[in-house]
Amino acid sequence: MVRELREALDDHQFEVLYQPQVHLETSTVTGYEALLRWRHPLRGVIEPQDFMRSAELSGLIIPIGLQTLDLICAHISHWDDQLNIAVNFSPRQLSTDNAAREIIDTLDRSGTPHNKVIVEVTELGVVGQNAAATLATLHKEGIRIALDDFGAGFASFAALSELPLDILKVDQSLTWALSDAQHSSERAFIVMESIAAIADKLGMESIAEGVETAEQAAAVTRAGCTTGQGYYFGKPLPADAHTTAVQEPPLAVASPAQHRRWR
Ligand code: C2E
Ligand code: MG
Ligand code: MG
Ligand code: MG
């Protein structure tokens, strides 16, 4: 796997898909999250869950992350000026000594404005000081920071007061609980509402992840989340995908190349 990942880097086999993030009150696309895919010459498209661990353990996540960021910068140079781009970074990459410098240099080489970029991080609990210092530097440079998968795994409450966070992404398991008939969706709603309130009080945006149905979209809106993301609004698609490739109603349009208002 590690040998193949190295080849993948050399041969530029990594690709990026983009999933829309939608401001719930106005139904506008605020930007897209970049999601990595590995187009293996024999095995086809491989998802992050099937190679990220090897990439992290081998340290190859660092060059892969930078190559991916380069690709993303090239894509978004053609987009509408108002669109944000959210990029995932592994804790391992953020922990290296020159991570902040390398990220900023990559943005600056392509002339990407810092205020368009959101860095998504998770599992900070197990990473520690180096990654926190990287985030502080990036934040000072005008890059926004999002805490990913909040409410699941290692994304902890402590991070909320300790890190320079701008956006709270609520884990999809909490969104799905809102429409889970088996368990109490009322309790799930109170949890979601409380998280959105914490984000709001801290001056942060709250993004509900994994919104798959109209019912969930309505519930996260009622709970006070500012933004939604999930298959209901649009699946991850290539940068140049056309609207016709997007799932038909309830809401169409998800391609960054064809950005426009919902409804
Ligand atoms: P994440 O950052 O939390 O991204 C959300 C994941 O949920 C994505 O999976 C996305 O395709 C999926 N998703 C979005 N909406 C829905 C929905 O409505 N229903 C369901 N069931 N799933 C939905 P994906 O693309 O497989 O990525 C998985 C994880 O891999 C990401 O979780 C992120 O942690 C990591 N990842 C992705 N791209 C990169 C990257 O460029 N660098 C690094 N370091 N990690 C990445
Ligand atoms: Mg997946
Ligand atoms: Mg993410
Ligand atoms: Mg997430």
Side-chain angles (χ1 to χ4, degrees):
M1 172 76 94
V2 171
R3 186 181 49 78
E4 287 195 311
L5 281 170
R6 235 178 242 120
E7 278 172 21
L9 257 174
D10 290 343
D11 297 349
H12 294 267
Q13 291 167 11
F14 295 104
E15 299 178 353
V16 183
L17 299 181
Y18 296 89
Q19 185 177 35
Q21 300 182 328
V22 176
H23 186 250
L24 292 166
E25 223 159 71
T26 58
S27 295
T28 21
V29 177
T30 56
Y32 291 80
E33 177 176 5
L35 295 160
L36 189 60
R37 295 293 180 267
W38 175 10
R39 188 174 293 278
H40 191 281
L42 302 174
R43 283 184 280 150
V45 176
I46 307 178
E47 302 215 337
Q49 64 188 29
D50 298 323
F51 66 85
M52 209 46 95
R53 214 180 129 68
S54 298
E56 296 231 350
L57 290 175
S58 62
L60 285 171
I61 189 62
I62 294 158
I64 291 172
L66 290 172
Q67 189 183 88
T68 306
L69 185 59
D70 242 342
L71 189 61
I72 293 166
C73 288
H75 283 153
I76 69 170
S77 64
H78 304 291
W79 292 7
D80 186 305
D81 268 351
Q82 282 143 45
L83 292 172
N84 299 318
I85 179 70
V87 187
N88 294 282
F89 282 97
S90 95
R92 171 86 194 260
Q93 179 170 10
L94 295 172
S95 304
T96 60
D97 283 339
N98 39 8
R101 196 68 262 152
E102 285 171 341
I103 291 169
I104 291 161
D105 284 350
T106 304
L107 297 179
D108 291 351
R109 257 201 319 274
S110 60
T112 305
H114 295 185
N115 65 5
K116 284 178 77 158
V117 180
I118 296 160
V119 166
E120 293 197 2
V121 287
T122 180
E123 293 185 31
L124 283 164
V126 283
V127 187
Q129 286 312 305
N130 275 355
T134 301
L135 293 180
T137 306
L138 294 175
H139 194 255
K140 270 195 220 108
E141 287 277 341
I143 293 163
R144 277 167 291 167
I145 315 292
L147 184 59
D148 210 345
D149 304 339
F150 183 76
F154 294 103
S156 80
F157 276 95
L160 292 181
S161 53
E162 288 163 7
L163 296 170
L165 298 171
D166 304 284
I167 297 162
L168 195 55
K169 295 194 76 174
V170 188
D171 191 70
Q172 47 196 28
S173 58
L174 296 176
T175 301
W176 297 341
L178 292 170
S179 52
D180 186 344
Q182 230 95 93
H183 302 90
S184 171
S185 53
E186 261 167 63
R187 294 179 72 92
F189 182 80
I190 292 168
V191 171
M192 184 63 89
E193 194 177 41
S194 305
I195 293 174
I198 291 174
D200 188 53
K201 281 189 184 175
L202 290 168
M204 297 166 70
E205 194 188 312
S206 50
I207 302 184
E209 300 190 80
V211 177
E212 293 183 345
T213 65
E215 185 196 4
Q216 289 165 355
V220 299
T221 306
R222 242 183 323 119
C225 293
T226 50
T227 309
Q229 184 180 343
Y231 296 164
Y232 175 71
F233 298 110
K235 291 200 167 171
L237 285 175
D240 58 356
H242 291 287
T243 45
T244 48
V246 182
Q247 295 276 62
E248 271 311 289
L251 288 174
V253 183
S255 136
Q258 307 230 328
H259 163 66
R260 69 169 84 127
R261 283 183 153 256
W262 299 91
R263 288 206 193 111

